[in-house]
Amino acid sequence: MLGPPGSGKGTQARIISELYGVPVVTTGDMLRDAVARGTEHGRVAKGYMDRGELVPDRIVNMVVQERLSMPDLGAGFILDGFPRSTAQADALDRILKERGLRLDYVIHVTLGDEAIAARLGNRRSCPACGAVYHLESKPPKAAGVCDECGSGLILRDDDQPEVIRHRLEVYREKTRPLLERYEGAGIIREVPGDCPLDELPRLLRKILG
Ligand code: AP5
């Protein structure tokens, strides 16, 4: 899943996961979990995440390599938020080659900056299970409480306006150029990030077959 912050990558990844029974590997959630547990990687990652910078490739590649070697991913997986730099894309190529796997699709989720800024201020996330809500388009059943696990919902630290602006710049500089890398392979599929939520399953099934 490739696209700017807040475009809806995580939301679409979860729908694809439900449609096809394929697990999602979300680097943002894995890093937030490492921060919450206070691991060595988490302590390093926290400052970068709070500022809206990319966590160093060395750490992210290590975390992803470890996760992708787990047995539950043998039949395939969805990568949400990885790769985000040339060095990460190189690492992914190496990992896939070692395992005899290939990328089937790169889903490019598109959304303009203004819509993103408006959207992220209304996002609420569950720090316990990773479920994501929106105060208008996908509100939780009880205000401030996760439908899935009953934990309290939060506004992420990096969803403050000045951090959102910086995340968008970082996306344009480091991540967006990856689209050129995958263009030649003919595997990019564009999905509008503002497609109505109830239409997404049909659209994604049409695109992915
Ligand atoms: P990460 O958690 O990956 O953040 P992100 O890429 O900025 O993406 P978001 O999670 O903010 O948004 P999303 O596109 O998934 O949108 P969502 O579905 O939630 O990364 C956070 C940080 O971790 C990074 O800044 C970096 O520091 C670090 N990091 C992570 N991966 C890294 C890597 N590979 N390398 C280095 N550092 C890394 O939707 C947003 C909102 O919109 C929600 O409220 C949702 O309900 C709503 N919504 C979604 N779709 C729709 C729709 N179709 N209609 C109406 N509302 C919708």
Side-chain angles (χ1 to χ4, degrees), residues 1 9-10 24 27 39 43 53 60 62 65 70 72 75 80 101 107 118 120 128 140 152 178-180 183 185 188:
M1 310 299 302
K9 301 181 295 296
V24 186
T27 44
T39 66
R43 282 196 296 276
E53 303 276 352
V60 178
M62 228 185 303
Q65 173 133 24
M70 292 181 183
D72 62 311
D80 170 17
L101 299 171
I107 309 284
L120 288 182
L178 293 182
L179 286 169
E180 283 163 32
E183 233 153 42
I188 297 181

XYZ file of all heavy atoms in Angstrom, residues 1 9-10 24 27 39 43 53 60 62 65 70 72 75 80 101 107 118 120 128 140 152 178-180 183 185 188:
207
model
N 0.856 -1.152 0.000
C 0.000 0.000 0.000
C 0.903 1.214 0.000
O 1.698 1.387 0.917
C -0.880 0.021 1.254
C -1.636 -1.253 1.564
S -2.808 -1.781 0.330
C -3.910 -0.389 0.200
N -4.528 4.149 3.378
C -3.807 2.887 3.125
C -4.227 1.797 4.119
O -4.511 0.674 3.732
C -2.285 3.094 3.259
C -1.702 4.132 2.327
C -0.204 4.246 2.505
C 0.227 4.752 3.865
N -0.193 6.148 4.177
N -4.220 2.172 5.410
C -4.527 1.186 6.445
C -5.964 0.692 6.323
O -6.231 -0.508 6.447
N -2.101 -8.481 7.217
C -1.510 -7.165 6.919
C -0.290 -6.952 7.813
O -0.344 -7.214 9.014
C -2.508 -6.015 7.215
C -1.930 -4.677 6.763
C -3.849 -6.273 6.556
N 3.960 -1.313 9.163
C 5.170 -0.887 9.877
C 4.850 0.177 10.925
O 5.443 0.182 11.997
C 6.260 -0.386 8.905
O 5.674 0.455 7.934
C 6.972 -1.532 8.248
N 11.020 -0.881 23.823
C 12.161 -1.679 23.346
C 13.258 -0.730 22.846
O 13.023 0.470 22.656
C 11.749 -2.601 22.177
O 11.412 -1.769 21.067
C 10.557 -3.489 22.529
N 12.674 3.006 21.424
C 13.244 4.242 22.002
C 13.872 5.102 20.908
O 13.757 6.326 20.912
C 14.273 3.899 23.089
C 13.613 3.507 24.412
C 14.603 3.552 25.567
N 15.679 2.579 25.418
C 15.595 1.305 25.779
N 14.479 0.857 26.326
N 16.610 0.483 25.613
N 9.311 12.230 10.812
C 10.417 11.780 9.945
C 10.312 10.275 9.744
O 9.706 9.577 10.557
C 11.770 12.021 10.650
C 12.049 13.431 11.081
C 12.628 14.264 9.953
O 12.948 13.686 8.905
O 12.737 15.481 10.129
N 13.978 -0.167 10.414
C 12.733 -0.635 9.781
C 12.992 -1.931 9.002
O 12.212 -2.888 9.089
C 12.153 0.452 8.853
C 10.896 -0.041 8.168
C 11.846 1.705 9.645
N 15.157 -4.191 9.565
C 15.357 -5.296 10.511
C 14.009 -5.796 11.047
O 13.745 -6.992 11.088
C 16.214 -4.792 11.673
C 17.370 -5.724 12.019
S 18.241 -5.163 13.462
C 18.757 -3.544 13.088
N 12.122 -7.563 8.175
C 12.734 -8.861 7.845
C 12.326 -9.920 8.874
O 11.982 -11.050 8.535
C 14.251 -8.707 7.812
C 14.984 -10.037 7.647
C 16.066 -9.954 6.584
O 16.563 -8.868 6.298
N 16.402 -11.069 6.008
N 8.093 -14.925 9.733
C 7.174 -15.700 10.590
C 6.245 -16.572 9.740
O 5.856 -16.189 8.641
C 6.375 -14.754 11.483
C 7.280 -14.090 12.510
S 6.356 -13.000 13.583
C 7.694 -12.334 14.572
N 3.104 -17.436 9.698
C 1.733 -17.085 9.297
C 1.700 -16.320 7.978
O 0.630 -16.114 7.407
C 1.039 -16.258 10.391
C 1.746 -14.926 10.643
O 2.978 -14.941 10.810
O 1.072 -13.887 10.642
N 1.600 -17.757 2.974
C 0.729 -17.738 1.792
C 0.547 -16.336 1.225
O -0.305 -16.118 0.374
C -0.630 -18.333 2.155
N 1.687 -2.594 4.461
C 1.074 -1.266 4.610
C 2.122 -0.324 5.199
O 2.502 -0.463 6.360
C -0.146 -1.398 5.542
C -0.711 -0.045 5.961
O -0.386 0.973 5.311
O -1.469 -0.017 6.950
N 9.367 -15.129 -3.706
C 8.062 -14.449 -3.799
C 8.174 -13.280 -4.760
O 9.271 -12.843 -5.110
C 7.634 -13.931 -2.423
C 7.435 -14.976 -1.325
C 7.231 -14.293 0.020
C 6.249 -15.874 -1.648
N -0.645 -0.940 -4.618
C -1.874 -0.143 -4.567
C -1.476 1.284 -4.216
O -0.954 1.530 -3.126
C -2.854 -0.658 -3.484
C -3.087 -2.156 -3.620
C -4.154 0.132 -3.510
C -3.977 -2.549 -4.736
N -7.620 17.733 6.672
C -8.950 17.761 7.295
C -9.275 16.399 7.913
O -9.878 16.310 8.973
C -9.996 18.128 6.247
N -7.153 13.861 9.000
C -6.358 13.303 10.105
C -6.729 13.907 11.456
O -6.602 13.247 12.487
C -4.860 13.452 9.829
C -4.345 12.502 8.741
C -2.846 12.661 8.547
C -4.672 11.053 9.073
N -4.481 -0.166 21.396
C -4.367 -1.579 21.801
C -4.452 -2.517 20.594
O -3.597 -3.384 20.425
C -5.459 -1.916 22.812
N -16.921 5.446 16.134
C -17.117 4.254 16.966
C -18.548 4.243 17.504
O -19.185 5.299 17.569
C -16.099 4.452 18.098
C -15.878 5.927 18.151
C -16.064 6.456 16.764
N -9.682 2.698 25.177
C -9.920 4.114 24.902
C -9.230 4.536 23.606
O -8.093 4.126 23.353
N 9.150 6.154 -5.394
C 9.126 4.698 -5.573
C 8.126 4.277 -6.642
O 8.252 3.205 -7.239
C 8.768 3.986 -4.258
C 9.782 4.084 -3.120
C 9.300 3.286 -1.921
C 11.151 3.576 -3.563
N 7.123 5.142 -6.895
C 6.132 4.796 -7.925
C 6.827 4.577 -9.265
O 6.452 3.674 -10.020
C 5.078 5.898 -8.041
C 4.064 5.946 -6.891
C 3.257 7.228 -6.962
C 3.145 4.733 -6.932
N 7.857 5.410 -9.544
C 8.582 5.257 -10.825
C 9.247 3.891 -10.907
O 9.293 3.260 -11.957
C 9.662 6.337 -10.951
C 9.089 7.686 -11.330
C 10.058 8.813 -11.058
O 11.275 8.607 -11.156
O 9.572 9.916 -10.700
N 6.628 1.344 -11.837
C 5.836 1.639 -13.033
C 6.113 0.640 -14.169
O 5.193 0.104 -14.777
C 6.124 3.053 -13.530
C 4.883 3.891 -13.722
C 5.193 5.370 -13.557
O 6.247 5.813 -14.059
O 4.389 6.070 -12.911
N 6.984 -2.339 -14.130
C 6.506 -3.707 -13.907
C 5.010 -3.842 -14.190
O 4.478 -4.965 -14.237
C 6.805 -4.117 -12.474
N 1.131 -1.315 -10.766
C 0.515 -0.258 -9.958
C -0.983 -0.172 -10.263
O -1.389 -0.203 -11.421
C 1.174 1.103 -10.232
C 2.654 1.056 -9.829
C 0.460 2.223 -9.481
C 3.393 2.357 -10.038
